[in-house]
Amino acid sequence: MLATLSRAKSVRRLAVDMRSYYMVGTEVRRSESRSGCSAAAAAAVAAAWRRRVPGGVRGVSTSCPLSSKARGHQKIELSEKKLTRYFVDQRRVKLMAGSGGKGASSFHSEPRKEWGGPDGGNGGDGASIVIKADKFVKSLAQVVPIYKGEDGHSGGNKNCYGKNGVQSYIRVPMGTVVKEHEEMVVDLSEHGQEYLAVFGGAGGKGNRFFLTNENRAPMNTTPGATGEERVLQLELRTMAHAGLVGFPNAGKSSLLRAISNARPAVAAYPFTTLNPHVGIVNYRDHEQVAVADIPGIVRGAHLNRGLGIAFLRHIERCPFLLYVLDMSTPEPWVQLQHLHYELDQYEPGLSQRPQAIVANKMDLPGAREKIEALTSRVTQRVIPVSALTGQNTEELILHLRELYDGYLCGVSKPTRW
């Protein structure tokens, strides 16, 4: 009876509140039509609410923006310096596989079976650690310095074997190279490719294992084997078809923005790009060419000057190169000589890959006169462009496809252009 009465009071109170909300809304619309969104409208709302609801205000705000629009989720773009915190292209990791569980020593015993014999089970195997390439991982930032595999469980009585340790996986980006003592062990260049880095220890044997015709009551067992330990170096090398190579402030990031869907940071000072960016150039036949913006190379980069050799490794995977020259400098062809020298010092023959010269900043005064001098001094194809205005970027995109088709023909794939 009391429960029914309290439920009826709750329903009656809800009906009164809904009627009050409706009447307060009517007062708000009248006040806004007379004086707009002002202090008078807010005072009218408060007065109306006090009249309709006995006991004063009940948890309702009478501020002016009662009907403001809901704010949408704004996408916050990270700066280049903040992006470097999330992009890590090398890690040194220590891997320790799990140890095996020890074997058990026990004897079977039950009523009317006094001499049941040994029934100690073997221990479980320790967990191994596997390095796996994942296309959804873009950096080595999530890789921690130390990994420890799960140990195997010990064996039990009644011939119960111990549980094996669960195998651990380290997910790395595609293009990660695993090194040990500065020598390459494996190149994880395909999605789903795995490398068993360290083996887990085998489980120990229980006394049941040592049962023989001569020894019907063995007591001896063996402990589990210790898991393997290794120290490996993980290096990420950007996987792209073409690499933009040039000195700082040559306009590589602006050029990548002009020909692809990438949006790297652009500013009028050197070393704006602090980590590689990869953009995709789409063609009408649905073919896609990946272009990588490599951070600026300076003279002596192979000696670890400037940004050093930290990003020269990303050029190794590019089958063809695009040398971006700044046509606002007095002698742009000197930049090309220095770039060739730095690449050859890092890896002999690296500068001899299929290439093209991109003469950037053709919108600046004096660039037209320098393009003729540059063409007469080099044998490669020179493509004058302006990344700022988009001038002649179509020719660069077409030539980029020619280099890509030539690369495909080199690996026995048909040309579809």
Side-chain angles (χ1 to χ4, degrees):
M1 183 67 181
L2 292 177
T4 305
L5 183 60
S6 61
R7 191 179 302 111
K9 289 183 178 180
S10 300
V11 173
R12 192 180 303 113
R13 188 181 300 111
L14 179 61
V16 172
D17 289 346
M18 293 179 64
R19 187 164 54 253
S20 301
Y21 290 150
Y22 173 76
M23 304 178 83
V24 167
T26 305
E27 293 287 344
V28 170
R29 287 190 292 271
R30 290 177 181 174
S31 300
E32 288 183 349
S33 62
R34 291 196 300 269
S35 58
C37 189
S38 60
V45 172
W49 184 251
R50 290 190 183 94
R51 288 196 304 268
R52 303 303 178 187
V53 182
V57 180
R58 298 171 60 182
V60 175
S61 173
T62 58
S63 56
C64 183
L66 291 176
S67 58
S68 60
K69 296 182 179 180
R71 296 181 180 179
H73 296 284
Q74 298 179 356
K75 183 179 180 181
I76 301 176
E77 296 185 359
L78 298 179
S79 63
E80 186 72 21
K81 290 186 177 180
K82 291 183 179 179
L83 285 174
T84 56
R85 303 176 186 175
Y86 304 100
F87 182 84
V88 179
D89 60 350
Q90 58 179 348
R91 283 288 196 194
R92 183 176 180 270
V93 294
K94 182 178 181 181
L95 307 179
M96 297 179 292
S99 301
K102 62 182 180 179
S105 177
S106 65
F107 291 89
H108 184 70
S109 177
E110 60 178 333
R112 295 182 298 275
K113 197 173 182 181
E114 185 177 357
W115 309 101
D119 66 348
N122 299 337
D125 297 335
S128 303
I129 300 179
V130 179
I131 302 176
K132 184 175 183 178
D134 190 345
K135 64 181 179 181
F136 299 105
V137 180
K138 303 301 181 183
S139 172
L140 297 175
Q142 304 298 328
V143 178
V144 297
I146 300 176
Y147 284 90
K148 177 67 172 67
E150 182 183 359
D151 295 335
H153 294 202
S154 301
N157 57 353
K158 299 183 181 179
N159 295 320
C160 291
Y161 282 37
K163 181 182 177 182
N164 296 334
V166 180
Q167 190 166 259
S168 302
Y169 287 89
I170 304 176
R171 301 190 180 275
V172 297
M174 294 172 53
T176 301
V177 175
V178 182
K179 289 185 176 182
E180 185 177 19
H181 305 301
E182 301 300 329
E183 295 183 2
M184 187 176 69
V185 178
V186 66
D187 184 0
L188 303 175
S189 58
E190 298 180 1
H191 175 67
Q193 185 177 356
E194 297 181 358
Y195 171 66
L196 186 56
V198 287
F199 293 89
K205 303 298 183 182
N207 63 339
R208 172 71 180 181
F209 178 81
F210 298 97
L211 176 64
T212 61
N213 292 332
E214 292 78 16
N215 187 4
R216 306 303 299 175
M219 300 288 295
N220 52 327
T221 59
T222 59
T226 305
E228 187 181 4
E229 293 187 12
R230 296 176 73 181
V231 177
L232 299 177
Q233 184 78 17
L234 305 181
E235 293 183 0
L236 173 60
R237 299 177 182 177
T238 302
M239 300 188 66
H241 300 108
L244 299 177
V245 184
F247 280 89
N249 209 24
K252 300 184 298 298
S253 300
S254 301
L255 185 62
L256 186 65
R257 293 172 67 100
I259 66 175
S260 71
N261 58 355
R263 291 296 176 265
V266 175
Y269 54 82
F271 299 111
T272 308
T273 303
L274 301 178
N275 60 293
H277 294 273
V278 178
I280 303 298
V281 181
N282 297 299
Y283 292 89
R284 293 182 179 178
D285 59 347
H286 305 289
E287 191 66 83
Q288 294 181 336
V289 179
V291 183
D293 175 19
I294 310 300
I297 300 174
V298 300
R299 297 185 61 181
H302 68 282
L303 301 176
N304 212 20
R305 294 176 182 172
L307 293 178
I309 63 175
F311 298 107
L312 284 174
R313 69 172 67 93
H314 295 279
I315 307 177
E316 296 182 26
R317 292 187 180 274
C318 300
F320 44 92
L321 305 176
L322 299 177
Y323 292 95
V324 183
L325 304 183
D326 186 0
M327 299 306 293
S328 63
T329 58
E331 296 180 344
W333 49 88
V334 178
Q335 293 185 3
L336 182 62
Q337 298 175 2
H338 292 324
L339 291 174
H340 282 170
Y341 177 77
E342 294 298 330
L343 295 185
D344 287 335
Q345 291 298 315
Y346 175 74
E347 180 182 340
L350 183 59
S351 65
Q352 303 303 321
R353 294 184 181 181
Q355 58 190 263
I357 299 175
V358 181
N360 195 19
K361 302 184 181 181
M362 291 300 298
D363 56 307
L364 298 179
R368 292 293 177 184
E369 294 75 11
K370 297 175 185 177
I371 193 66
E372 299 178 357
L374 175 63
T375 307
S376 61
R377 285 177 168 83
V378 298
T379 58
Q380 301 92 330
R381 180 175 177 177
V382 179
I383 304 176
V385 300
S386 174
L388 180 63
T389 62
Q391 173 188 353
N392 206 29
T393 54
E394 295 83 0
E395 181 182 354
L396 174 59
I397 294 175
L398 292 176
H399 185 64
L400 183 64
R401 182 59 187 271
E402 294 176 4
L403 294 174
Y404 176 72
D405 290 340
Y407 164 69
L408 292 183
C409 293
V411 294
S412 301
K413 288 187 178 181
T415 303
R416 294 177 291 175
W417 182 253

